[in-house]
Amino acid sequence: MKINPTIATDAYKITHWLQRPKNMTRFYNYGEPRLGGQHDAIIFFGLQYILKEYFMIKVTKEDIEEGYEHSKSCFGFDHYFPLGIWKKVEKLGYFPLRIKAVKEGTLVPTSNVCFTMEATEDWFAPMVSHFEDWLMWNWYSCGVATRGFNIKRNIKSAYEKSSDNPFLGFSVNDFGYRGATFNEGACIGGAAHLISFNGTDNLQARKLIQDYYGGKQIGGSVWATEHSVATVFGPGEGEYDYIKTQLTRSHPTATISIVIDSYDSDNFIKNVISREDVKQLIIDRPGRTVFRPDSGDPITNVCKYTEMLGNIFGYHLNKKGFKVLNHNVGIIQGDGMTEKSIPELYNEYIKTGWSADNIITGSGGGLLEEGLTRDTDRWAIKVSYVELDGTPVNVQKSPKTDMTKSSKTGILKLHKSAGKFSTIESAKEQFGINNGYTDELDLVFENGVLYREQTFEEIREIANSYL
């Protein structure tokens, strides 16, 4: 769908230019995840995509004409639409805006400013909030990035405790493309996942990273079956044909994932995989063979099927005294995996004496969709400073019924000291905004020019430094 910037906002915001003081020459707002959300800190990610995809476009005469007609039809009045302002923007050829932001990949504690936006022309000051929705979309990419980071942080200890060579990159795989609300969400959410992990079935996420962040290609997948593959062979001897087909047609050095619950996972392990010819094919493969039980309780299944595989293929103790399945076999759990359940699975699993090396996970809706909204981390954009005929006015929202919604006031800096972040509000500083506080908010966009570009490798490096 082609976006028309003149009406790509909440409809009521179109009327705001008329509602504000006529002598307002500056309007400065900021975005933050407020206190009281699900997370204590968020991984900031996705702004560069939003800037390139939306803020770099130009307003056309056709956009203005279409926007005018939609506005008149929507409200019933033609004067609500800022026709003269949009004509000036068309003539300029860019949005007269300035956006500053913390670097993507940064772990920012909640209740801290992540970005600011203001107009660079006095006449455009009443229009700044028109663009809030575009920046607010960042809540989603930050939400998925934060989920991925927290999962990695919370399973890291299981690997360190039970593995000789902790390999976290493919421990969580993105299965969420088909379960995402729409393609764009799947792409940016899948990219956010790849900040922390390498495993993905989301090819479009790889493309988004290449197109908007550049650098080397990131993210890999494997030969993996699903029930539409398994069931066409049928039950009984069909399962025998099914597994042999996968073992003989895949590249011998490749990792393969085999779904086993089309009929009876227990029977598949006991009576199909254990057949001597099948077992030998698996043993002879240098590539890894992992089995996917796709239904039932995850912890129970993973522990049970690991024991069953151990009885068939054997196991050995690694240097840390944990059991590792022989012949490069393992389990992949892809059902019911979320930010909460993945760490639970790993931590309970190693209590049985098995190494985390034996299992990997995949997450679809639990990664890109389930329970994730703007309110998950209470994202908000608020005005904190204006100027009326050049006179500074500090602005603040402070509702008595919910003080967690109190907003910041003045010109803001995100200050970092001894590795910790705090937001400096000019309205609360005796010596003004330039009294020695450094600012982690960089200029990223001004008047149609992108001033900061980060590679995806840089973003990954920044995020993983917090582990």
Side-chain angles (χ1 to χ4, degrees):
M1 178 179 177
K2 181 182 179 295
I3 191 168
N4 181 336
T6 70
I7 52 174
T9 189
D10 297 309
Y12 66 87
K13 290 183 185 294
I14 289 175
T15 68
H16 284 181
W17 71 288
L18 287 172
Q19 299 175 16
R20 296 192 168 107
K22 290 185 177 181
N23 61 342
M24 189 178 75
T25 54
R26 189 177 182 187
F27 183 97
Y28 173 97
N29 63 9
Y30 74 97
E32 69 168 346
R34 292 184 295 207
L35 286 174
Q38 182 175 315
H39 303 112
D40 294 328
I42 59 95
I43 293 289
F44 186 69
F45 173 69
L47 178 63
Q48 187 164 301
Y49 166 76
I50 291 171
L51 292 176
K52 287 186 175 183
E53 182 69 9
Y54 297 101
F55 282 87
M56 304 297 287
I57 61 180
K58 294 183 179 181
V59 175
T60 66
K61 180 181 178 182
E62 291 73 25
D63 289 331
I64 296 171
E65 291 174 351
E66 181 185 52
Y68 173 79
E69 291 300 326
H70 273 288
S71 177
K72 182 171 67 172
S73 174
C74 179
F75 294 108
F77 305 98
D78 59 3
H79 70 286
Y80 284 5
F81 187 77
L83 185 62
I85 294 177
W86 283 120
K87 286 183 177 180
K88 286 185 178 181
V89 174
E90 179 199 2
K91 187 175 181 180
L92 277 180
Y94 57 80
F95 299 122
L97 293 168
R98 178 182 300 116
I99 298 172
K100 298 177 71 177
V102 67
K103 282 188 176 180
E104 298 189 38
T106 304
L107 183 66
V108 184
T110 55
S111 192
N112 276 292
V113 57
C114 290
F115 56 80
T116 64
M117 177 170 60
E118 61 180 312
T120 58
E121 299 283 350
D122 291 356
W123 53 266
F124 203 61
M127 294 291 292
V128 172
S129 62
H130 181 93
F131 299 88
E132 286 180 359
D133 292 349
W134 297 11
L135 290 182
M136 187 67 83
W137 293 332
N138 212 73
W139 68 261
Y140 175 71
S141 49
C142 291
V144 178
T146 302
R147 276 183 170 174
F149 174 81
N150 286 338
I151 291 170
K152 189 172 186 178
R153 177 169 58 182
N154 291 330
I155 67 175
K156 186 170 180 282
S157 61
Y159 273 92
E160 291 175 341
K161 183 177 180 179
S162 68
S163 171
D164 287 343
N165 299 293
F167 184 65
L168 286 164
F170 285 91
S171 56
V172 181
N173 297 266
D174 175 10
F175 291 171
Y177 185 74
R178 61 180 164 175
T181 304
F182 54 100
N183 181 65
E184 187 179 24
C187 296
I188 191 65
H193 162 78
L194 288 170
I195 293 175
S196 295
F197 298 101
N198 297 322
T200 184
D201 280 318
N202 193 337
L203 283 168
Q204 286 289 89
R206 287 170 49 97
K207 177 172 168 52
L208 182 140
I209 291 169
Q210 283 282 288
D211 290 351
Y212 293 88
Y213 290 88
K216 65 181 182 181
Q217 293 185 345
I218 293 171
S221 186
V222 301
W223 174 294
T225 69
E226 63 177 10
H227 298 104
S228 69
V229 174
T231 54
V232 295
F233 287 91
E237 283 299 302
E239 292 199 282
Y240 173 70
D241 296 333
Y242 157 64
I243 184 65
K244 286 195 69 176
T245 299
Q246 311 315 312
L247 293 169
T248 55
R249 291 187 186 175
S250 59
H251 195 282
T253 64
T255 296
I256 64 173
S257 170
I258 309 296
V259 67
I260 65 173
D261 76 324
S262 294
Y263 307 106
D264 183 345
S265 298
D266 288 35
N267 177 71
F268 193 91
I269 298 287
K270 287 179 182 178
N271 300 315
V272 180
I273 293 174
S274 63
R275 287 194 185 191
E276 283 304 317
D277 57 339
V278 175
K279 178 180 176 181
Q280 194 60 48
L281 283 171
I282 293 171
I283 290 173
D284 290 343
R285 294 186 80 253
R288 192 177 196 196
T289 305
V290 296
F291 301 98
R292 180 163 70 95
D294 202 43
S295 52
D297 179 71
I299 295 175
T300 300
N301 280 347
V302 169
C303 293
K304 178 173 68 172
Y305 295 128
T306 302
E307 292 287 345
M308 293 172 66
L309 290 172
N311 290 333
I312 296 171
F313 295 98
Y315 62 87
H316 62 277
L317 297 181
N318 63 19
K319 294 177 182 178
K320 293 182 178 177
F322 283 80
K323 294 182 287 186
V324 179
L325 290 166
N326 291 336
H327 305 300
N328 214 6
V329 297
I331 301 285
I332 179 169
Q333 177 63 36
D335 187 50
M337 294 291 92
T338 66
E339 182 179 350
K340 180 181 178 182
S341 66
I342 293 174
E344 286 177 348
L345 172 62
Y346 273 94
N347 292 325
E348 289 301 313
Y349 182 76
I350 66 170
K351 289 179 182 178
T352 66
W354 288 98
S355 170
D357 289 338
N358 296 306
I359 61 172
I360 55 176
T361 65
S363 183
L367 178 69
L368 301 188
E369 291 289 334
E370 186 177 327
L372 191 61
T373 71
R374 181 173 74 87
D375 292 324
T376 299
D377 291 307
R378 304 191 74 202
W379 276 94
I381 297 178
K382 298 298 176 186
V383 57
S384 62
Y385 177 86
V386 300
E387 290 181 6
L388 305 179
D389 286 332
T391 301
V393 179
N394 295 314
V395 180
Q396 185 177 31
K397 171 185 175 181
S398 185
K400 292 182 179 180
T401 51
D402 186 355
M403 294 304 290
T404 66
K405 289 188 175 182
S406 294
S407 61
K408 294 173 172 54
T409 178
I411 302 296
L412 308 180
K413 284 186 175 184
L414 180 65
H415 179 58
K416 186 177 182 181
S417 178
K420 296 182 178 181
F421 289 100
S422 60
T423 298
I424 307 301
E425 304 172 55
S426 65
K428 298 181 180 180
E429 293 302 316
Q430 293 181 356
F431 305 104
I433 192 66
N434 296 311
N435 61 343
Y437 288 107
T438 57
D439 192 4
E440 296 296 311
L441 301 178
D442 299 329
L443 176 66
V444 289
F445 175 90
E446 185 173 287
N447 294 340
V449 178
L450 198 63
Y451 282 89
R452 183 189 76 191
E453 286 198 64
Q454 292 178 260
T455 65
F456 200 71
E457 293 97 315
E458 177 192 353
I459 293 168
R460 282 168 57 113
E461 184 177 348
I462 292 171
N464 284 288
S465 70
Y466 294 100
L467 294 172

Tab-separated table of all heavy atoms in Angstrom, residues 256-304:
chain	number	residue	atom	x	y	z
A	256	ILE	N	19.719	-31.511	9.710
A	256	ILE	CA	18.339	-31.728	9.295
A	256	ILE	C	17.440	-31.822	10.523
A	256	ILE	O	17.848	-32.308	11.573
A	256	ILE	CB	18.178	-32.977	8.406
A	256	ILE	CG1	18.541	-34.255	9.168
A	256	ILE	CG2	19.011	-32.850	7.140
A	256	ILE	CD1	18.234	-35.535	8.380
A	257	SER	N	16.212	-31.327	10.361
A	257	SER	CA	15.228	-31.326	11.438
A	257	SER	C	14.042	-32.186	11.011
A	257	SER	O	13.439	-31.948	9.969
A	257	SER	CB	14.771	-29.894	11.736
A	257	SER	OG	13.659	-29.874	12.601
A	258	ILE	N	13.687	-33.167	11.842
A	258	ILE	CA	12.666	-34.150	11.501
A	258	ILE	C	11.503	-34.067	12.483
A	258	ILE	O	11.663	-34.330	13.678
A	258	ILE	CB	13.249	-35.579	11.530
A	258	ILE	CG1	14.527	-35.676	10.701
A	258	ILE	CG2	12.211	-36.594	11.082
A	258	ILE	CD1	14.340	-35.418	9.226
A	259	VAL	N	10.319	-33.677	11.984
A	259	VAL	CA	9.141	-33.650	12.846
A	259	VAL	C	8.688	-35.096	13.101
A	259	VAL	O	8.671	-35.922	12.186
A	259	VAL	CB	8.016	-32.801	12.226
A	259	VAL	CG1	7.449	-33.421	10.966
A	259	VAL	CG2	6.911	-32.528	13.235
A	260	ILE	N	8.337	-35.418	14.353
A	260	ILE	CA	8.110	-36.826	14.704
A	260	ILE	C	6.733	-37.112	15.295
A	260	ILE	O	6.435	-38.259	15.652
A	260	ILE	CB	9.190	-37.320	15.692
A	260	ILE	CG1	9.086	-36.572	17.035
A	260	ILE	CG2	10.588	-37.168	15.098
A	260	ILE	CD1	10.017	-37.116	18.122
A	261	ASP	N	5.872	-36.113	15.414
A	261	ASP	CA	4.605	-36.331	16.131
A	261	ASP	C	3.390	-36.414	15.218
A	261	ASP	O	2.257	-36.249	15.684
A	261	ASP	CB	4.395	-35.222	17.168
A	261	ASP	CG	3.965	-33.913	16.531
A	261	ASP	OD1	4.451	-33.618	15.404
A	261	ASP	OD2	3.156	-33.191	17.130
A	262	SER	N	3.594	-36.688	13.942
A	262	SER	CA	2.436	-36.765	13.042
A	262	SER	C	1.436	-37.810	13.520
A	262	SER	O	0.225	-37.667	13.334
A	262	SER	CB	2.898	-37.103	11.619
A	262	SER	OG	3.673	-36.052	11.087
A	263	TYR	N	1.948	-38.879	14.150
A	263	TYR	CA	1.073	-39.939	14.666
A	263	TYR	C	1.393	-40.249	16.126
A	263	TYR	O	0.554	-40.083	17.000
A	263	TYR	CB	1.208	-41.196	13.795
A	263	TYR	CG	0.987	-40.903	12.324
A	263	TYR	CD1	2.059	-40.865	11.437
A	263	TYR	CD2	-0.284	-40.627	11.836
A	263	TYR	CE1	1.869	-40.580	10.093
A	263	TYR	CE2	-0.493	-40.330	10.491
A	263	TYR	CZ	0.592	-40.305	9.627
A	263	TYR	OH	0.391	-40.001	8.309
A	264	ASP	N	2.614	-40.664	16.394
A	264	ASP	CA	2.986	-41.078	17.749
A	264	ASP	C	4.488	-40.902	17.900
A	264	ASP	O	5.274	-41.696	17.366
A	264	ASP	CB	2.585	-42.536	17.987
A	264	ASP	CG	2.876	-43.002	19.410
A	264	ASP	OD1	3.630	-42.318	20.129
A	264	ASP	OD2	2.353	-44.068	19.793
A	265	SER	N	4.887	-39.861	18.609
A	265	SER	CA	6.320	-39.566	18.762
A	265	SER	C	7.066	-40.710	19.443
A	265	SER	O	8.200	-41.044	19.046
A	265	SER	CB	6.502	-38.273	19.567
A	265	SER	OG	5.929	-37.170	18.910
A	266	ASP	N	6.451	-41.303	20.474
A	266	ASP	CA	7.105	-42.408	21.175
A	266	ASP	C	7.404	-43.558	20.216
A	266	ASP	O	8.501	-44.129	20.200
A	266	ASP	CB	6.219	-42.912	22.318
A	266	ASP	CG	6.165	-41.942	23.476
A	266	ASP	OD1	6.199	-40.719	23.216
A	266	ASP	OD2	6.097	-42.389	24.632
A	267	ASN	N	6.413	-43.891	19.398
A	267	ASN	CA	6.584	-44.989	18.444
A	267	ASN	C	7.657	-44.639	17.414
A	267	ASN	O	8.442	-45.507	17.007
A	267	ASN	CB	5.263	-45.277	17.734
A	267	ASN	CG	5.399	-46.359	16.686
A	267	ASN	OD1	5.573	-47.527	17.006
A	267	ASN	ND2	5.340	-45.958	15.421
A	268	PHE	N	7.703	-43.393	17.004
A	268	PHE	CA	8.675	-42.987	15.993
A	268	PHE	C	10.095	-43.186	16.508
A	268	PHE	O	10.972	-43.669	15.780
A	268	PHE	CB	8.455	-41.526	15.607
A	268	PHE	CG	9.184	-41.101	14.363
A	268	PHE	CD1	8.579	-41.207	13.122
A	268	PHE	CD2	10.479	-40.600	14.424
A	268	PHE	CE1	9.248	-40.833	11.964
A	268	PHE	CE2	11.149	-40.218	13.287
A	268	PHE	CZ	10.541	-40.335	12.045
A	269	ILE	N	10.314	-42.795	17.774
A	269	ILE	CA	11.655	-42.967	18.351
A	269	ILE	C	11.948	-44.451	18.574
A	269	ILE	O	13.018	-44.960	18.180
A	269	ILE	CB	11.773	-42.206	19.680
A	269	ILE	CG1	11.588	-40.691	19.475
A	269	ILE	CG2	13.116	-42.490	20.341
A	269	ILE	CD1	12.719	-39.988	18.816
A	270	LYS	N	11.010	-45.164	19.184
A	270	LYS	CA	11.251	-46.560	19.571
A	270	LYS	C	11.369	-47.504	18.377
A	270	LYS	O	12.237	-48.378	18.347
A	270	LYS	CB	10.108	-47.061	20.468
A	270	LYS	CG	10.103	-46.500	21.870
A	270	LYS	CD	8.908	-47.067	22.634
A	270	LYS	CE	8.824	-46.509	24.047
A	270	LYS	NZ	7.626	-47.046	24.762
A	271	ASN	N	10.493	-47.335	17.404
A	271	ASN	CA	10.360	-48.358	16.370
A	271	ASN	C	10.755	-47.936	14.952
A	271	ASN	O	10.818	-48.790	14.062
A	271	ASN	CB	8.920	-48.872	16.337
A	271	ASN	CG	8.510	-49.493	17.659
A	271	ASN	OD1	9.263	-50.265	18.254
A	271	ASN	ND2	7.318	-49.135	18.141
A	272	VAL	N	10.982	-46.650	14.746
A	272	VAL	CA	11.389	-46.201	13.415
A	272	VAL	C	12.867	-45.817	13.412
A	272	VAL	O	13.665	-46.362	12.654
A	272	VAL	CB	10.521	-45.021	12.925
A	272	VAL	CG1	10.965	-44.565	11.531
A	272	VAL	CG2	9.050	-45.419	12.897
A	273	ILE	N	13.215	-44.885	14.307
A	273	ILE	CA	14.617	-44.453	14.360
A	273	ILE	C	15.533	-45.590	14.801
A	273	ILE	O	16.690	-45.666	14.389
A	273	ILE	CB	14.747	-43.245	15.323
A	273	ILE	CG1	14.020	-42.035	14.732
A	273	ILE	CG2	16.212	-42.890	15.562
A	273	ILE	CD1	13.950	-40.854	15.649
A	274	SER	N	15.008	-46.470	15.622
A	274	SER	CA	15.842	-47.549	16.167
A	274	SER	C	16.102	-48.677	15.168
A	274	SER	O	16.925	-49.565	15.432
A	274	SER	CB	15.183	-48.131	17.420
A	274	SER	OG	13.928	-48.709	17.090
A	275	ARG	N	15.410	-48.703	14.017
A	275	ARG	CA	15.699	-49.718	13.003
A	275	ARG	C	17.173	-49.617	12.602
A	275	ARG	O	17.708	-48.515	12.437
A	275	ARG	CB	14.823	-49.517	11.772
A	275	ARG	CG	13.363	-49.901	11.983
A	275	ARG	CD	12.660	-49.996	10.645
A	275	ARG	NE	11.244	-50.253	10.799
A	275	ARG	CZ	10.435	-50.587	9.787
A	275	ARG	NH1	10.930	-50.706	8.570
A	275	ARG	NH2	9.148	-50.794	9.998
A	276	GLU	N	17.794	-50.746	12.421
A	276	GLU	CA	19.236	-50.760	12.221
A	276	GLU	C	19.670	-49.949	11.010
A	276	GLU	O	20.669	-49.233	11.064
A	276	GLU	CB	19.735	-52.208	12.093
A	276	GLU	CG	19.835	-52.929	13.420
A	276	GLU	CD	20.705	-52.195	14.433
A	276	GLU	OE1	21.798	-51.704	14.034
A	276	GLU	OE2	20.299	-52.085	15.606
A	277	ASP	N	18.934	-50.053	9.895
A	277	ASP	CA	19.363	-49.303	8.707
A	277	ASP	C	19.174	-47.800	8.893
A	277	ASP	O	20.013	-46.999	8.465
A	277	ASP	CB	18.634	-49.800	7.462
A	277	ASP	CG	17.129	-49.723	7.579
A	277	ASP	OD1	16.609	-49.673	8.711
A	277	ASP	OD2	16.445	-49.714	6.525
A	278	VAL	N	18.081	-47.414	9.557
A	278	VAL	CA	17.863	-45.990	9.831
A	278	VAL	C	18.907	-45.481	10.809
A	278	VAL	O	19.524	-44.418	10.605
A	278	VAL	CB	16.440	-45.753	10.385
A	278	VAL	CG1	16.263	-44.284	10.790
A	278	VAL	CG2	15.387	-46.140	9.356
A	279	LYS	N	19.117	-46.216	11.864
A	279	LYS	CA	20.102	-45.837	12.870
A	279	LYS	C	21.479	-45.672	12.232
A	279	LYS	O	22.203	-44.702	12.525
A	279	LYS	CB	20.134	-46.889	13.970
A	279	LYS	CG	21.172	-46.633	15.057
A	279	LYS	CD	21.127	-47.741	16.108
A	279	LYS	CE	22.226	-47.550	17.143
A	279	LYS	NZ	22.212	-48.634	18.157
A	280	GLN	N	21.840	-46.595	11.350
A	280	GLN	CA	23.161	-46.535	10.726
A	280	GLN	C	23.292	-45.324	9.808
A	280	GLN	O	24.352	-44.683	9.738
A	280	GLN	CB	23.443	-47.818	9.945
A	280	GLN	CG	24.915	-47.984	9.561
A	280	GLN	CD	25.820	-48.026	10.782
A	280	GLN	OE1	25.563	-48.743	11.755
A	280	GLN	NE2	26.883	-47.221	10.758
A	281	LEU	N	22.211	-45.004	9.088
A	281	LEU	CA	22.236	-43.812	8.244
A	281	LEU	C	22.497	-42.557	9.070
A	281	LEU	O	23.248	-41.662	8.660
A	281	LEU	CB	20.915	-43.670	7.484
A	281	LEU	CG	20.699	-44.583	6.279
A	281	LEU	CD1	19.260	-44.465	5.779
A	281	LEU	CD2	21.672	-44.228	5.155
A	282	ILE	N	21.888	-42.498	10.241
A	282	ILE	CA	22.076	-41.339	11.125
A	282	ILE	C	23.502	-41.311	11.663
A	282	ILE	O	24.161	-40.256	11.690
A	282	ILE	CB	21.059	-41.377	12.279
A	282	ILE	CG1	19.637	-41.174	11.737
A	282	ILE	CG2	21.383	-40.316	13.333
A	282	ILE	CD1	18.541	-41.404	12.752
A	283	ILE	N	23.998	-42.457	12.076
A	283	ILE	CA	25.359	-42.533	12.615
A	283	ILE	C	26.385	-42.140	11.560
A	283	ILE	O	27.384	-41.469	11.853
A	283	ILE	CB	25.636	-43.961	13.141
A	283	ILE	CG1	24.806	-44.227	14.398
A	283	ILE	CG2	27.120	-44.162	13.429
A	283	ILE	CD1	24.875	-45.655	14.893
A	284	ASP	N	26.144	-42.534	10.311
A	284	ASP	CA	27.102	-42.264	9.234
A	284	ASP	C	27.094	-40.812	8.769
A	284	ASP	O	28.017	-40.385	8.063
A	284	ASP	CB	26.792	-43.172	8.032
A	284	ASP	CG	27.108	-44.636	8.320
A	284	ASP	OD1	27.853	-44.905	9.290
A	284	ASP	OD2	26.582	-45.509	7.589
A	285	ARG	N	26.047	-40.058	9.130
A	285	ARG	CA	25.969	-38.658	8.697
A	285	ARG	C	26.883	-37.780	9.546
A	285	ARG	O	26.750	-37.744	10.772
A	285	ARG	CB	24.554	-38.100	8.826
A	285	ARG	CG	23.521	-38.715	7.912
A	285	ARG	CD	22.197	-37.973	8.021
A	285	ARG	NE	22.196	-36.738	7.233
A	285	ARG	CZ	22.258	-35.518	7.725
A	285	ARG	NH1	22.313	-35.338	9.045
A	285	ARG	NH2	22.255	-34.474	6.927
A	286	PRO	N	27.793	-37.001	8.942
A	286	PRO	CA	28.550	-36.014	9.729
A	286	PRO	C	27.673	-34.835	10.158
A	286	PRO	O	27.943	-34.174	11.147
A	286	PRO	CB	29.663	-35.570	8.770
A	286	PRO	CG	29.183	-35.930	7.402
A	286	PRO	CD	28.274	-37.099	7.553
A	287	GLY	N	26.597	-34.574	9.387
A	287	GLY	CA	25.673	-33.499	9.746
A	287	GLY	C	24.792	-33.891	10.918
A	287	GLY	O	24.582	-35.072	11.189
A	288	ARG	N	24.263	-32.908	11.597
A	288	ARG	CA	23.454	-33.175	12.783
A	288	ARG	C	22.026	-33.541	12.405
A	288	ARG	O	21.445	-32.967	11.481
A	288	ARG	CB	23.437	-31.949	13.705
A	288	ARG	CG	22.871	-32.254	15.084
A	288	ARG	CD	22.927	-31.067	16.005
A	288	ARG	NE	22.736	-31.497	17.395
A	288	ARG	CZ	22.437	-30.679	18.401
A	288	ARG	NH1	22.309	-29.396	18.185
A	288	ARG	NH2	22.292	-31.150	19.619
A	289	THR	N	21.453	-34.496	13.133
A	289	THR	CA	20.054	-34.876	12.957
A	289	THR	C	19.303	-34.551	14.242
A	289	THR	O	19.627	-35.083	15.306
A	289	THR	CB	19.915	-36.381	12.652
A	289	THR	OG1	20.724	-36.708	11.520
A	289	THR	CG2	18.468	-36.742	12.363
A	290	VAL	N	18.322	-33.655	14.144
A	290	VAL	CA	17.538	-33.294	15.321
A	290	VAL	C	16.078	-33.671	15.084
A	290	VAL	O	15.573	-33.607	13.960
A	290	VAL	CB	17.654	-31.788	15.665
A	290	VAL	CG1	19.076	-31.437	16.055
A	290	VAL	CG2	17.186	-30.900	14.520
A	291	PHE	N	15.414	-34.068	16.150
A	291	PHE	CA	14.035	-34.549	16.078
A	291	PHE	C	13.117	-33.571	16.789
A	291	PHE	O	13.432	-33.089	17.881
A	291	PHE	CB	13.946	-35.945	16.684
A	291	PHE	CG	14.836	-36.939	15.990
A	291	PHE	CD1	16.084	-37.262	16.510
A	291	PHE	CD2	14.445	-37.525	14.798
A	291	PHE	CE1	16.925	-38.151	15.861
A	291	PHE	CE2	15.275	-38.419	14.135
A	291	PHE	CZ	16.512	-38.736	14.664
A	292	ARG	N	11.960	-33.304	16.147
A	292	ARG	CA	11.067	-32.263	16.661
A	292	ARG	C	9.728	-32.842	17.120
A	292	ARG	O	8.855	-33.137	16.296
A	292	ARG	CB	10.829	-31.197	15.589
A	292	ARG	CG	9.895	-30.072	16.035
A	292	ARG	CD	10.014	-28.870	15.149
A	292	ARG	NE	9.479	-29.092	13.819
A	292	ARG	CZ	8.234	-28.762	13.443
A	292	ARG	NH1	7.395	-28.231	14.322
A	292	ARG	NH2	7.836	-28.973	12.208
A	293	PRO	N	9.542	-33.006	18.431
A	293	PRO	CA	8.216	-33.327	18.968
A	293	PRO	C	7.399	-32.034	18.995
A	293	PRO	O	7.807	-31.063	19.632
A	293	PRO	CB	8.513	-33.837	20.373
A	293	PRO	CG	9.794	-33.163	20.756
A	293	PRO	CD	10.572	-32.946	19.495
A	294	ASP	N	6.302	-31.995	18.335
A	294	ASP	CA	5.604	-30.729	18.123
A	294	ASP	C	4.326	-30.601	18.942
A	294	ASP	O	3.543	-29.695	18.721
A	294	ASP	CB	5.274	-30.580	16.631
A	294	ASP	CG	5.044	-29.133	16.228
A	294	ASP	OD1	5.820	-28.276	16.681
A	294	ASP	OD2	4.083	-28.870	15.484
A	295	SER	N	4.091	-31.518	19.865
A	295	SER	CA	2.888	-31.422	20.689
A	295	SER	C	3.169	-32.037	22.052
A	295	SER	O	4.040	-32.894	22.192
A	295	SER	CB	1.708	-32.141	20.013
A	295	SER	OG	2.050	-33.455	19.648
A	296	GLY	N	2.410	-31.582	23.054
A	296	GLY	CA	2.626	-32.074	24.407
A	296	GLY	C	3.442	-31.102	25.235
A	296	GLY	O	3.877	-30.050	24.764
A	297	ASP	N	3.663	-31.458	26.496
A	297	ASP	CA	4.409	-30.595	27.403
A	297	ASP	C	5.882	-30.531	26.988
A	297	ASP	O	6.555	-31.572	26.899
A	297	ASP	CB	4.311	-31.133	28.834
A	297	ASP	CG	5.086	-30.269	29.811
A	297	ASP	OD1	4.645	-29.141	30.081
A	297	ASP	OD2	6.165	-30.717	30.273
A	298	PRO	N	6.425	-29.334	26.732
A	298	PRO	CA	7.788	-29.218	26.223
A	298	PRO	C	8.854	-29.837	27.128
A	298	PRO	O	9.703	-30.598	26.660
A	298	PRO	CB	7.988	-27.706	26.087
A	298	PRO	CG	6.617	-27.166	25.885
A	298	PRO	CD	5.733	-28.027	26.740
A	299	ILE	N	8.829	-29.518	28.411
A	299	ILE	CA	9.874	-30.020	29.310
A	299	ILE	C	9.805	-31.541	29.416
A	299	ILE	O	10.826	-32.234	29.320
A	299	ILE	CB	9.756	-29.356	30.697
A	299	ILE	CG1	10.030	-27.852	30.585
A	299	ILE	CG2	10.721	-30.009	31.683
A	299	ILE	CD1	9.820	-27.087	31.881
A	300	THR	N	8.595	-32.066	29.586
A	300	THR	CA	8.428	-33.518	29.680
A	300	THR	C	8.927	-34.210	28.415
A	300	THR	O	9.674	-35.194	28.471
A	300	THR	CB	6.948	-33.876	29.898
A	300	THR	OG1	6.502	-33.276	31.114
A	300	THR	CG2	6.752	-35.382	29.962
A	301	ASN	N	8.514	-33.698	27.268
A	301	ASN	CA	8.897	-34.322	26.001
A	301	ASN	C	10.390	-34.267	25.743
A	301	ASN	O	10.998	-35.265	25.347
A	301	ASN	CB	8.157	-33.656	24.844
A	301	ASN	CG	6.741	-34.145	24.695
A	301	ASN	OD1	6.352	-35.140	25.292
A	301	ASN	ND2	5.955	-33.440	23.892
A	302	VAL	N	10.978	-33.089	25.929
A	302	VAL	CA	12.405	-32.945	25.634
A	302	VAL	C	13.235	-33.868	26.519
A	302	VAL	O	14.173	-34.532	26.046
A	302	VAL	CB	12.844	-31.476	25.792
A	302	VAL	CG1	14.359	-31.358	25.760
A	302	VAL	CG2	12.222	-30.614	24.691
A	303	CYS	N	12.894	-33.934	27.784
A	303	CYS	CA	13.638	-34.827	28.691
A	303	CYS	C	13.415	-36.297	28.324
A	303	CYS	O	14.367	-37.090	28.278
A	303	CYS	CB	13.215	-34.571	30.134
A	303	CYS	SG	13.696	-32.951	30.768
A	304	LYS	N	12.172	-36.655	28.050
A	304	LYS	CA	11.858	-38.052	27.725
A	304	LYS	C	12.545	-38.502	26.445
A	304	LYS	O	13.165	-39.576	26.403
A	304	LYS	CB	10.345	-38.227	27.590
A	304	LYS	CG	9.937	-39.654	27.194
A	304	LYS	CD	8.432	-39.860	27.220
A	304	LYS	CE	7.716	-39.089	26.149
A	304	LYS	NZ	6.278	-39.453	26.061
